[in-house]
Amino acid sequence: MTTAIETRERLTPGPASSALVEWAYSPSLESTDHVKIEPRYNLFIGGKFVEPHSKRWFETINPATEGTLSEIAEGDAEDVDRAVREARRAYEKVWRKMPAAERGKYIFRIARLIQEKSRALAVVETMNGGKPIKESRDIDIPLAAAHFFYYAGWADKLDYAFPNRTVSPIGVAGQIIPWNFPLLMAAWKLAPALAAGNTIVLKPAETTSLTSLILAQIIQEAELPPGVVNIVTGAGATGAALVSHPDVDKIAFTGSTEVGKRIQRATAGTHKKLTLELGGKAPNIVFEDAPLDQAIEGIINGIYFNQGHVCCAGSRLFVQESIVEPVIRKLRDRIGTLRVGNPLDKNTDVGAINSRAQLDKIRELVDSGIEEGAEIFQSACALPERGFWFAPTFFTGVGQSNRIAQEEIFGPVLSVLTFRTPEEAVEKANNTPYGLSAGVWTEKGSRILKMAQKLRAGVIWANTYNKFDPTSPFGGFKESGFGREGGMHGLGPYVHVE
Ligand code: NDP
C-alpha cells in the first residue's frame, strides 16, 4: 500500500526540504456561524452595559480582512471616574466583606463559563486579533480558564500563601492590557486581584476589546456582584485617565516599555502600588550539543508563535559557531513549511499582524536591518491581498549594535547572532536593556543551571520555549518591568501583608 507521504515524495523528487515545501493542505476553516458579535458594545460599569459619556464609538476590525466586526465605546475620564466609583462602592460594601470561600465560588464560576464558551471565545479572539485559531483554541482560551481556576483555589487560602502574616486586599485595582493575548492578559490581571479581595477597572487594548466584552457578559452570567469588575474600553487616553485617577490603589500594566515608563512617572509619589510587565528581546541560546531538530522547533515556536507579537519571544537567536551552518539550513527549510494565511484555518501556523500600525513598525525595523548590512531570509509564502501580513523572516550577519538586535520588533522577525564560549553567550545575551525571558538548548544539565544563574531574565526555559502555566510566576528584570504574575508570587501585588 502507498501512503500519502510516500506518494508526495515520489511526486516531488529532490531534497526532503523541497518535498515539504510543495505539500499543500486543504483548507480547514473553523466555522463562525455559532458566534454572536454584537454590532455595538458599550462600557461595562456597575454590572451593566452603559453608553459612554462621549457618545462616541470606534470601529474594531478583523486584521486578516480589514472588515469591520463591531463598534466599541470610547470611554473618557468621566467614564473612568464612574467605573472607579462603582469599584470603590463594591469593594467597601460587598467584595472585601464577603467570606473568601464565597469569593472563590464566583471565580470558579467564571472559569467554568469560559470553558463552556471556549469555542466562541477562540473564534472571536482570532477574528479580532489575527492569531491562528489553533493557538487561540489550544492556548489562549484554555490558559485563561486555567488562570481563573488556579486563583479561585487561592481565595480562601491566602493565610497559607503568607503564613504567620495578616493579609488584606489593597482596594481598587486599575488594570491595562495589550492586544497580543487579549483574553489571557485579562485573566492574568483579573483572577489574582479578585481572589485577593480587590475590585477592578480594566482597560483592554483599543484593537482587541471584543473578548474582554464577552468576558463582561460572562461576568454578568456568573452574577458577580455589580461593580466588582468594570471594563472601560478606549484608547491610550482612557488608560492614562485610569492611571491618574486618585482613588485607584494599584495599577497593573502590560505593554510597551515606553508607556510603562510614562505610567511609572505618573504614579511616582502617589500611594499607588505598581507592577509593570513590559517588552523583551529574549536570547534563545543553542549550544553545539543541543538536540538540533528539537531546538529548531523551539526556535520556530519562540519567534513565530502569535506572529512574534509576544513580549517573551525568542527574538535573538544565539548559535554556537560550530553549528551555524546546519542550524541556518534547517531554519530556512522549516520556515518554508510554515503556513501563513487565514487565521481561521485550522492548518494556519502564522496569522495576520494585529494592526496596520504594527505592520508599519515591523517593516521599518526590517528595513533598518537591511540598511545596517544584515542578510535577510524570508519565507516565499504567498500573502493574502487584503489584511496585514508579514512573511516569517530571519536575519543573519547581525551586529550586536544593530537596531534589529536591540529593539523589540514584535513581529515574525528573528535576528541570528553567534558565539564561541558559554561566557561569550552570557555576555551577549545580557547585552540588552530588557530581561524578560531566555532559552537555553544543551544536553548538559549542569550547563543549563550555570547559564540560568548568569542570564538576567525573569523566566528561563531549558530545551523548550514559550511554556506557560498559571502556577508559574512570570515577569522581568531591568526595562522589562517589575512584579510577578502567575503562581503564588502573583498574589503578592494584590495584598497588604503585615
Ligand atoms: P502600548 O504600551 O501603547 O499599549 C498597551 C496598553 O496601554 C493598551 O491598552 C494601550 O491602549 C494602553 N495605553 C497606551 N498609552 C497609554 C498611556 N499613556 N497610559 C495608560 N495606558 C496607555 O503598546 P502598543 O499597542 O502601542 O504597542 C507598541 C509597541 O509596544 C509594540 O510594537 C510592541 O513592541 C510593544 N508591546 C509590548 C507588549 C508586551 O507585552 N511587552 C504588548 C504590546 C505592545 P491602546 O491599545 O488603546 O493604545
Side-chain angles (χ1 to χ4, degrees), residues 198-234:
N198 303 278
T199 58
I200 295 154
V201 179
L202 177 82
K203 208 298 273 174
E206 186 181 355
T207 56
T208 53
S209 304
L210 284 180
T211 45
S212 289
L213 292 161
I214 297 176
L215 181 62
Q217 293 169 337
I218 286 175
I219 284 168
Q220 271 185 329
E221 204 177 325
E223 295 178 356
L224 196 73
V228 172
V229 172
N230 306 275
I231 300 181
V232 181
T233 47

Side-chain angles (χ1 to χ4, degrees), residues 35 99 171 196 250 263 332 338 346 435 461:
V35 174
K250 190 221 152 50
I263 290 175
R332 218 172 34 215
L338 290 175
K346 287 171 235 169
W461 287 291

Side-chain angles (χ1 to χ4, degrees), residues 59-137:
E59 286 189 342
T60 191
I61 65 162
N62 179 341
T65 62
E66 299 178 56
T68 301
L69 293 172
S70 182
E71 285 186 342
I72 307 289
E74 191 180 312
D76 62 12
E78 296 251 355
D79 299 309
V80 167
D81 184 52
R82 242 192 319 171
V84 172
R85 277 190 277 120
E86 283 295 328
R88 175 63 59 192
R89 190 197 49 72
Y91 176 69
E92 299 294 350
K93 298 218 160 13
V94 187
W95 199 240
R96 71 182 298 188
K97 293 185 186 163
M98 187 181 280
E102 292 302 309
R103 276 204 313 263
K105 284 185 200 167
Y106 283 106
I107 309 171
F108 275 122
R109 213 181 276 173
I110 294 170
R112 284 195 299 270
L113 284 165
I114 291 175
Q115 278 188 324
E116 265 174 37
K117 297 176 199 299
S118 59
R119 194 161 162 227
L121 282 164
V123 170
V124 175
E125 200 72 306
T126 282
M127 289 173 79
N128 201 195
K131 64 175 67 203
I133 186 73
K134 69 178 177 190
E135 291 180 10
S136 42
R137 182 197 60 196

Side-chain angles (χ1 to χ4, degrees), residues 63 128-132 135 140 178-182 184-185 207-208 254 277 279-280 301-315 350-362 388-390 408-413 466 468:
N128 201 195
K131 64 175 67 203
E135 291 180 10
D140 292 64
W179 41 262
N180 51 347
F181 293 92
L184 184 57
M185 288 301 102
T207 56
T208 53
T254 299
E277 202 270 90
N301 173 272
I303 187 64
Y304 303 119
F305 168 61
N306 199 28
Q307 297 73 246
H309 301 329
V310 184
C311 48
C312 52
S315 52
V350 179
I353 300 301
N354 181 262
S355 64
R356 187 179 295 283
Q358 189 59 28
L359 179 60
D360 291 345
K361 183 184 165 191
I362 295 168
F388 315 129
W389 306 94
F390 201 85
E408 188 177 43
I409 301 175
F410 227 61
V413 183
N466 272 342
F468 300 98

Side-chain angles (χ1 to χ4, degrees), residues 279-301:
K281 193 75 189 173
N284 201 1
I285 305 168
V286 183
F287 285 95
E288 60 191 358
D289 64 346
L292 268 202
D293 289 330
Q294 196 182 324
I296 294 294
E297 290 311 305
I299 296 164
I300 294 284
N301 173 272

Side-chain angles (χ1 to χ4, degrees), residues 138-272:
D138 298 347
I139 297 168
D140 292 64
I141 309 304
L143 267 181
H147 264 82
F148 280 104
F149 275 120
Y150 174 73
Y151 281 108
W154 273 120
D156 60 350
K157 300 175 196 69
L158 295 178
D159 290 342
Y160 298 92
F162 306 94
N164 305 318
R165 312 288 293 273
T166 307
V167 188
S168 55
I170 290 175
V172 176
Q175 305 183 322
I176 301 168
I177 53 171
W179 41 262
N180 51 347
F181 293 92
L183 186 71
L184 184 57
M185 288 301 102
W188 277 31
K189 296 276 179 284
L190 294 175
L194 290 175
N198 303 278
T199 58
I200 295 154
V201 179
L202 177 82
K203 208 298 273 174
E206 186 181 355
T207 56
T208 53
S209 304
L210 284 180
T211 45
S212 289
L213 292 161
I214 297 176
L215 181 62
Q217 293 169 337
I218 286 175
I219 284 168
Q220 271 185 329
E221 204 177 325
E223 295 178 356
L224 196 73
V228 172
V229 172
N230 306 275
I231 300 181
V232 181
T233 47
T238 315
L242 182 56
V243 169
S244 61
H245 195 290
D247 202 29
V248 169
D249 302 303
K250 190 221 152 50
I251 294 291
F253 172 79
T254 299
S256 62
T257 294
E258 188 197 333
V259 173
K261 286 180 182 175
R262 234 179 283 162
I263 290 175
Q264 195 170 11
R265 279 195 289 272
T267 52
T270 71
H271 74 291
K272 288 170 197 163

